[in-house]
Amino acid sequence: MAGLNILSPWQLSASSTSSSSSYSLRFRHSFYDFNNNNNVSNCGHIKCCKFGSSPSSENAKSKPPPFSSHMLPNSSGSGYSRMHDKSASCDNFSPNGRTQGPLNAVSPKERAQVSAVDDLYEFIVSGPLISKIGLTPEKVAESIDNWIEYGLRLCRLFRLNQLALNEAQKIRIYHYYIPVFLWCEQEISQHSSKFKEEEEIPPLVIGFSAPQGCGKTTLVFALEYLFKITGRKAATVSIDDFYLTAEEQAKLRDSNPGNLLLEFRGNAGSHDLPFSIETLTELSKLTKEGVKMNLPRYDKSAYSGRGDRADHSTWPEVEGPLPVVLFEGWMLGFKPLPPEVVKAVDPQLETVNKNLEAYYDAWHKYVKSWVVIKIQDPSYVYKWRLQAEIAMRADGNPGMSDEEVLDFVSRYLPAYKAYLPTLYSEGPSGSDPEHVLLIDIDEGRNPILGC
């Protein structure tokens, strides 16, 4: 299947015959080409989404679709309209001071082959995360309008032509980003339900643990955008934001001579843990309007690439009430192992393992829900980094040589080899298995059925 045509907006209704019931969709086709700003519309009626038994016509009409709280207030301040908030346009969206480039935004050579909502429905329910996040084909059908709208907005965010999505782009949007967003929404709802109506609700911190280069930053970028257009505030922080200052990093290097794993930033020991605690504690207090704070940022380009904490004046501001914090990092959730285990991987890892003991109190105890992105082979990290650097050099930008990439990644591979097996089998440090979403991805960074 070369691509996907998206039809929007949709209105779900129910119809029945004497022998069976089925969902049908009344809709006005609206083909949006965000690249050319052209619209072509016509009207129609299509029957789709047959599967087993379905609610009666009366029940289907009276039952609100799931995720209805995602509707946005309209401009008049009364009622709701579906995602017409121009303030959420991708053109002015730079979440929490971070920017993100297009997602494979080169137009595919073949045009889309799918034009009906039933094909989109079938594609969605075939995704590997649907059952993992507790969705059924019935629930997908009931909320198909939301899926289409989220897809449209993500296409616009990443400057994709949604009339001609290629297979990889379809998978990324409908099998990955939207399902994870819906799971996060479920986690936020469950978190909020634990508090009484008069109580202030602290933000839910969702941890995203994923190896470098696998696309976690782009995933979090997409999620924050979806939260924005559905009326939720979200803050994004990375473990990178908590690196030691350049001066402190130099002291760490000097106090561990010959340990290549601590020569540069990255491994446990190279983070300012008291600063982490201070930041995450302050984020938990953003429960009211008018309460603000600045989110720390790190400048990796400072000191010829050795890095330093960015100037405070550049830190983005976030204001309460804040429902969710998206906290991402390559080693988030790692837990210390017996010394003999890490020594067998790399003797230099012993100091890193000792440093890791303090990370639960500094990071993990704040995280209540987890998204863990699982890879089959740590060597993927090298391949992904090499691809990125080759692309940078091809565009005329400075990039590491192949040898420099190998040296860079080699400083992280021992930790991956030591800690990933436990992370995948036991979950992140201190996590509740009921609130962990484990996502297997392939070498192309796309979700797959778990092994």
Side-chain angles (χ1 to χ4, degrees), residues 175-444:
H175 285 181
Y176 198 3
Y177 296 163
I178 297 177
V180 174
F181 171 69
L182 296 178
W183 182 85
C184 290
E185 284 280 87
Q186 294 170 9
E187 291 294 299
I188 294 170
S189 296
Q190 290 183 33
H191 171 73
S192 300
S193 69
K194 298 175 183 178
F195 297 86
K196 297 179 180 178
E197 187 174 347
E198 65 276 9
E199 291 181 311
E200 294 181 3
I201 303 176
L204 172 67
V205 180
I206 303 178
F208 293 79
S209 180
Q212 298 146 307
C214 75
K216 66 181 177 299
T217 302
T218 306
L219 169 64
V220 170
F221 175 81
L223 295 176
E224 187 173 1
Y225 179 70
L226 289 175
F227 281 125
K228 178 179 175 66
I229 64 174
T230 53
R232 290 193 192 273
K233 295 178 182 177
T236 299
V237 289
S238 167
I239 64 173
D240 296 356
D241 299 322
F242 301 132
Y243 280 136
L244 296 169
T245 62
E247 181 180 356
E248 293 166 335
Q249 185 66 50
K251 292 179 181 178
L252 176 68
R253 182 169 58 253
D254 293 342
S255 62
N256 293 273
N259 191 326
L260 298 179
L261 304 185
L262 294 172
E263 185 176 3
F264 300 111
R265 65 180 186 269
N267 283 290
S270 63
H271 301 90
D272 187 337
L273 299 187
F275 183 50
S276 304
I277 295 171
E278 177 187 342
T279 301
L280 294 171
T281 300
E282 288 303 307
L283 278 169
S284 71
K285 298 176 181 178
L286 295 182
T287 58
K288 298 179 180 178
E289 285 192 28
V291 181
K292 304 176 181 178
M293 69 172 289
N294 293 99
L295 298 173
R297 291 293 182 254
Y298 191 83
D299 181 5
K300 294 183 179 180
S301 66
Y303 293 97
S304 301
R306 287 190 176 270
D308 196 7
R309 191 166 299 159
D311 187 90
H312 191 279
S313 64
T314 66
W315 295 5
E317 184 181 76
V318 63
E319 179 180 358
L322 188 67
V324 62
V325 175
L326 309 177
F327 184 21
E328 57 103 345
W330 72 275
M331 55 165 283
L332 202 60
F334 286 8
K335 61 183 71 174
L337 297 172
E340 61 272 15
V341 174
V342 296
K343 187 176 181 180
V345 175
D346 188 330
Q348 297 179 105
L349 204 56
E350 286 188 276
T351 303
V352 172
N353 191 61
K354 183 67 176 177
N355 294 337
L356 196 57
E357 295 175 1
Y359 277 65
Y360 174 81
D361 287 333
W363 291 356
H364 304 144
K365 76 175 185 180
Y366 294 92
V367 181
K368 303 305 179 185
S369 300
W370 289 89
V371 175
V372 177
I373 300 175
K374 178 181 177 181
I375 60 175
Q376 301 301 317
D377 186 346
S379 68
Y380 289 174
V381 175
Y382 170 72
K383 296 177 183 177
W384 290 333
R385 185 69 191 214
L386 186 60
Q387 289 170 359
E389 296 298 327
I390 291 174
M392 288 178 63
R393 297 198 302 263
D395 289 339
N397 299 315
M400 288 189 286
S401 66
D402 294 1
E403 293 75 18
E404 289 171 331
V405 170
L406 181 60
D407 176 68
F408 175 81
V409 174
S410 68
R411 300 171 191 270
Y412 296 91
L413 285 179
Y416 285 133
K417 292 178 180 178
Y419 300 112
L420 285 183
T422 303
L423 175 69
Y424 297 156
S425 63
E426 300 180 5
S429 176
S431 64
D432 178 351
E434 295 297 316
H435 298 280
V436 177
L437 177 61
L438 181 65
I439 303 173
D440 292 75
I441 65 170
D442 59 21
E443 195 170 353

Side-chain angles (χ1 to χ4, degrees), residues 37-59:
N37 295 319
N38 294 329
N39 297 338
V40 180
S41 301
N42 60 1
C43 296
H45 180 271
I46 186 170
K47 179 184 284 187
C48 69
C49 307
K50 283 193 174 182
F51 41 79
S53 61
S54 60
S56 68
S57 178
E58 181 179 352
N59 289 341

